Amino acid sequence: MGINLNPFTWWNGATIGTWFGLRGKVVVGEDSLGNVYYQGGSDTNGNPRRWVIYNGANDASRVAPEWFSWLHHQVDDLPDRALPAARAWEQPAMANMTGTPLAYRPAGALEKGGKRSAATGDYEAWTPDA
């Protein structure tokens, strides 16, 4: 797939036009998922323009939370300097797994056998005559 589809499909990664647009822009960092972040130029309000080039499929849930805040101008400096260190109880960021075999499935889901635990007596079914 790679180079043959790259000029025409944006969902497989950055297109050739994106790479040409990033000429002269500065690489400012990379996150734990391998996404690369760029900055350069300014928008119509005078704010610096910021980009992410995804490592893999273009999916906004693949942006780490600290870099999300940088991309959306919630912090001015780079995340490792502007934000406090991660807490011991924090888990690393994950991409959204919906639609994949790794998606969360509750106990009663059909993909897990469709068996749910019996009602405990605190549930009363609605009937139209009630």
Side-chain angles (χ1 to χ4, degrees):
M1 261 207 276
I3 196 154
N4 294 336
L5 288 178
N6 187 272
F8 309 109
T9 60
W10 57 266
W11 54 87
N12 292 324
T15 62
I16 288 175
T18 302
W19 288 113
F20 282 130
L22 290 173
R23 286 180 303 161
K25 308 305 187 240
V26 179
V27 175
V28 294
E30 185 174 330
D31 66 12
S32 60
L33 298 172
N35 300 324
V36 182
Y37 298 89
Y38 293 84
Q39 181 170 310
S42 59
D43 64 10
T44 56
N45 294 326
N47 296 322
R49 298 275 325 257
R50 296 173 176 176
W51 292 269
V52 58
I53 300 298
Y54 297 101
N55 179 23
N58 290 340
D59 180 6
S61 73
R62 295 173 43 95
V63 173
E66 60 273 10
W67 284 100
F68 178 89
S69 61
W70 179 81
L71 278 172
H72 294 273
H73 299 280
Q74 295 171 346
V75 294
D76 291 328
D77 207 356
L78 296 178
D80 54 347
R81 291 186 284 211
L83 300 174
R87 307 280 175 106
W89 45 264
E90 288 184 56
Q91 294 182 356
M94 282 182 52
N96 185 350
M97 295 293 137
T98 302
T100 70
L102 299 175
Y104 170 73
R105 308 269 192 246
L110 293 175
E111 294 86 355
K112 284 196 132 183
K115 304 270 190 224
R116 65 175 184 86
S117 56
T120 59
D122 59 349
Y123 173 76
E124 184 178 320
W126 177 85
T127 60
D129 300 329

